[in-house]
Amino acid sequence: PVGIAYKEDTVAARETLLAAVDGLEGIMTDPGPQVVVEACADSSVNLQVRVWTADAGARQGVHFTVMEACKHA
């Protein structure tokens, strides 16, 4: 999950995260990536970036790539 402060705009955060993962290798476009609110935690709203990959063997590598891209967004 990616945590954002309660004062931050979830719509803007969603757009930023979707842009960050757009075009990454191994991510399917149909169905496309999603960003959903996973939890309203004590000090942050936790967003989850969901992506699909056609190759189950590449799942872990895709996961790490997505997390790194989101961290840099």
Side-chain angles (χ1 to χ4, degrees), residues 1-47:
V2 177
I4 62 170
Y6 272 93
K7 67 178 184 170
E8 302 302 329
D9 182 359
T10 56
V11 173
R14 179 178 287 115
E15 290 171 357
T16 298
L17 293 170
L18 287 172
V21 300
D22 184 46
L24 291 179
E25 186 175 340
I27 294 177
M28 294 176 60
T29 57
D30 188 22
Q34 296 178 320
V35 177
V36 298
V37 174
E38 179 183 62
C40 293
D42 291 339
S43 61
S44 65
V45 175
N46 295 335
L47 305 177

